Structure formats: C-alpha cells, structure tokens
Amino acid sequence: MEYSQIPGTDIKISKLAVGGMSFGKPAFKTYRWILDEDATDAMVQHALNLGINFFDTANVYGAGTSEEFIGRSLKKHQVSRSAVAIASKVYFNPGRLSREAINREIDGTLRRLGTDYLDLYIIHRFDYDTPIEETMEALNDLVVAGKVRALGASAMYGYQFQNMQHVAEKNGWHQFMAMENHYNLLYREDERELIPICKQDGVMLMPYSPLAGGHLTRPSWNSDSARSKTDTSARAKYDAAEEQDMPIIKRVDELAQQHGVKMSQIALAWQWAKGVTAPIVGATKRQYLDDAAAAMDIKLTPDEVAYLDEPYTAHEIVGALDQNPTDMLPKSVEN
C-alpha cells in the first residue's frame, strides 16, 4: 500500500479509501445490496490487512448504521484509533449545515463511531439556506474544540467551493483540505472548474464513484449483480449517458486486456494518473479490495491516459445540486 497525508496535517492516509455507503442496514430500497454488520466487520478487517487505513462514511449511510458498524468493527478487534483515518459527512439531515445541525450531527457521528474525534469532516453538499459564514464558523469551532482534525467538502460548483474557502480565509478560520467529488472516466465535468480550483489551492481529491457504479468494471452496460438490479441512485447518475459512454468503456476494456489486468484496475490507475490522492472504493466483496490495492502497481503512460480521455463528451451535471432537496434526500435515493 502507498500512503499520503491530508494536506496541512500529519494525518496519514492510504491512497485508497473504503466507502462506507456499502455498509449498514438498508434504510431505502435502492440500498438493498449493502452489507450487514458481520459482512462489514469482515470487509473492514480485510481492508486493514491490505494496509488500507482510510474509511469514508456519512451520517446518512444506512441511516447511521454504517458509522455504527465501522466503529464496532474497530472496537471489536482493538484497532488503535491512531492507526486509522476516519471521515464522515453532514448535510442530508434536518437543518442541513446550520450551526445547530452541525453541532448536533457531529456528536451523533462520534457517538455512533465510538470515537472522540474525526480525522476529516466533510460537508456532503452546498447548503443554499444557511449563510456560508455560519457554516464555516461552526466547522472551524469543531476543529478548535478537537472534535475534528481537518475539514472537507463534497460535490458542489466551483464558485461555491471557492466562496466558502474565501470566507474561511477572510475570517482566519480553518479551510477545506479535501474534496470528495463525483469523478471518473465517465463523468469529468469537474475538470472545468472545481478540480483546477482544488489543485490551485492544494486541496486533495478523494472522488466517490471512481468505478462509475460498476460500469467501469465490465465491458457491458448492465450486469446481474444485486446492486445493478436495485441501485436506482446509480441508474439516475449514469443510464442517460449510456450511448455516449460505451466507447470509453470499450477503451478501458482494451487497455485492461493489453496490461493483463482488470478493467476496474485501469479505471483506478487513471485516477492516480490524474492527480487524485485517494479514490473511494465501495466494495462488497474482499476481491474488490484486493483488485483495488493491486491497481497501485499499474502506471499508465501519458499516451494511454490521453487515449482513455479522448472519447469523452459533455455530460449533464450529476452530483452538485442546484437547490436543497425538498425532502432530506434526493428523489433518486428515496425510491
């Protein structure tokens, strides 16, 4: 395993993160494929055995049970808190990113994880209802209080991220040091503004969906997996662009055959070639983590990266929101 650090800190992170959305009790039909507590425990421990120490979850995953399962696995096996880096998120909750909501939700997250602090606290989306100043001051106060070691943000528009960073800088508050955005070979819209802003400001990239909900792991669009059949959220992200994305998938398959590796490994190698620090892999089988770890040995040439990049065409925005959802979650998740 290779390691890096969250910028501006001494927090050691593996260059792969384990996605906690794959763990917990399925609170919605679209997540019927996620792992129960025993399977989560096995997956967490397998990740640690591979040298993966970076875990990303959220207060909303499994309605909080993802955090509980991860926390109990670490406690059960007496894993030293300093040996792991844990990230969680806030936004899809009552009050969104208000001061009251942030203070309430961080305490709930820490309680469920069974820890006194988070290594990284991420705002899950941009909040259109709460003043930026209120959000950034509340987040800063968590760092000062020792409940959070570093701050991050997730999918949003570039100008929104820059505005939040500017408010923090102007007031001498802690800024975001990580961006968890939607980024993969089939969705690269953030290369226009958000990613250049992050790179300019030294903010690390830790994208979710690096394998595009499984589409970058097989030469065909659909599969017989439980997730492919039930994950309406993934379908909402990708199905509309199937025709324009299949040429990219064919090239991933072609390069995988040339290298004698799996398509998923080419897709992950592309992430690191693009300057990503730690793509988040949502694994439901040990083999998926084995494959992801082995992908670190694959070094794509600039010509190979260009070959994978070439067929891409503009996509509809998927990830950043134009307004807060009317309910707590987007409709694609509530199905």
Side-chain angles (χ1 to χ4, degrees), residues 33 212-231 234-235 239 242 246 285 288:
W33 51 273
H215 291 301
L216 291 168
T217 68
R218 56 183 182 265
S220 61
W221 188 257
N222 293 310
S223 80
D224 293 328
S225 71
R227 180 173 186 180
S228 183
K229 293 177 180 178
T230 62
D231 193 345
R235 289 193 174 278
D239 277 6
E242 176 181 352
M246 279 306 299
K285 296 179 181 179
Y288 298 163

Side-chain angles (χ1 to χ4, degrees), residues 135-179:
T135 295
M136 297 310 295
E137 184 175 23
L139 292 172
N140 178 77
D141 288 349
L142 295 185
V143 180
V144 173
K147 293 183 178 182
V148 173
R149 297 183 68 190
L151 302 174
S154 190
M156 62 180 62
Y157 293 106
Y159 80 93
Q160 294 170 333
F161 181 70
Q162 196 162 51
N163 285 345
M164 298 188 87
Q165 293 285 68
H166 175 68
V167 165
E169 181 181 27
K170 182 176 66 174
N171 288 279
W173 297 331
H174 287 273
Q175 295 177 261
F176 298 126
M177 303 308 297
M179 168 52 67

Side-chain angles (χ1 to χ4, degrees), residues 16 35 45 49 51 65 72 87 95 109 117 119 152 162 173 186 204 223 240-241 243 249 256 291 297 314-315 321 333:
L16 270 173
L35 302 183
Q45 297 308 311
N49 289 336
T65 57
R72 289 205 285 260
T109 284
Y117 67 92
D119 296 282
Q162 196 162 51
W173 297 331
L186 305 188
M204 78 172 192
S223 80
E243 184 177 347
I249 291 172
D291 293 343
D297 294 331
H315 283 53
L321 301 176
V333 172

Side-chain angles (χ1 to χ4, degrees), residues 74-317:
L74 297 175
K75 182 178 181 180
K76 176 182 177 181
H77 298 275
Q78 298 181 322
V79 177
S80 170
R81 180 64 183 85
S82 61
V84 294
I86 305 175
S88 194
K89 296 184 280 294
V90 57
Y91 169 83
F92 290 110
N93 44 256
R96 303 294 182 193
L97 300 181
S98 67
R99 175 183 294 277
E100 179 183 6
I102 287 171
N103 288 335
R104 178 189 68 240
E105 294 300 321
I106 186 61
D107 287 344
T109 284
L110 295 178
R111 182 179 65 254
R112 288 187 291 271
L113 283 164
T115 183
D116 294 329
Y117 67 92
L118 279 184
D119 296 282
L120 181 63
Y121 203 31
I122 299 167
I123 59 168
H124 217 151
R125 291 295 185 272
F126 180 82
D127 183 2
Y128 287 87
D129 295 333
T130 302
I132 291 175
E133 289 79 5
E134 180 178 342
T135 295
M136 297 310 295
E137 184 175 23
L139 292 172
N140 178 77
D141 288 349
L142 295 185
V143 180
V144 173
K147 293 183 178 182
V148 173
R149 297 183 68 190
L151 302 174
S154 190
M156 62 180 62
Y157 293 106
Y159 80 93
Q160 294 170 333
F161 181 70
Q162 196 162 51
N163 285 345
M164 298 188 87
Q165 293 285 68
H166 175 68
V167 165
E169 181 181 27
K170 182 176 66 174
N171 288 279
W173 297 331
H174 287 273
Q175 295 177 261
F176 298 126
M177 303 308 297
M179 168 52 67
E180 180 177 333
N181 61 319
H182 183 202
Y183 187 52
N184 55 57
L185 270 161
L186 305 188
Y187 186 82
R188 294 166 46 202
E189 295 308 297
D190 284 349
E191 288 181 353
R192 303 176 190 277
E193 291 187 358
L194 182 61
I195 289 176
I197 290 170
C198 289
K199 290 184 176 181
Q200 172 183 284
D201 292 347
V203 173
M204 78 172 192
L205 300 174
M206 45 179 294
Y208 67 85
S209 250
L211 303 178
H215 291 301
L216 291 168
T217 68
R218 56 183 182 265
S220 61
W221 188 257
N222 293 310
S223 80
D224 293 328
S225 71
R227 180 173 186 180
S228 183
K229 293 177 180 178
T230 62
D231 193 345
T232 55
S233 179
R235 289 193 174 278
K237 288 178 187 175
Y238 299 112
D239 277 6
E242 176 181 352
E243 184 177 347
Q244 69 190 98
D245 287 344
M246 279 306 299
I248 302 170
I249 291 172
K250 289 179 180 178
R251 293 196 181 195
V252 174
D253 185 31
E254 180 185 334
L255 277 185
Q257 292 185 46
Q258 290 177 9
H259 282 263
V261 299
K262 296 183 177 180
M263 290 176 62
S264 63
Q265 295 174 313
I266 294 294
L268 289 172
W270 176 86
Q271 293 262 336
W272 291 308
K274 285 287 188 173
V276 166
T277 296
I280 301 169
V281 176
T284 54
K285 296 179 181 179
R286 295 186 185 191
Q287 183 62 48
Y288 298 163
L289 289 182
D290 293 338
D291 293 343
M296 304 201 82
D297 294 331
I298 302 169
K299 309 300 180 185
L300 298 179
T301 68
D303 286 346
E304 288 174 326
V305 172
Y307 183 67
L308 293 172
D309 284 351
E310 193 271 332
Y312 185 82
T313 55
H315 283 53
E316 294 292 327
I317 299 297

Side-chain angles (χ1 to χ4, degrees), residues 35-82:
L35 302 183
D36 63 19
E37 184 163 2
D38 288 342
T40 296
D41 178 39
M43 195 66 66
V44 169
Q45 297 308 311
H46 188 62
L48 291 170
N49 289 336
L50 290 170
I52 303 172
N53 77 329
F54 193 15
F55 296 87
D56 172 80
T57 184
N59 59 352
V60 72
Y61 295 163
T65 57
S66 172
E67 293 174 328
E68 291 177 357
F69 289 2
I70 292 171
R72 289 205 285 260
S73 178
L74 297 175
K75 182 178 181 180
K76 176 182 177 181
H77 298 275
Q78 298 181 322
V79 177
S80 170
R81 180 64 183 85
S82 61

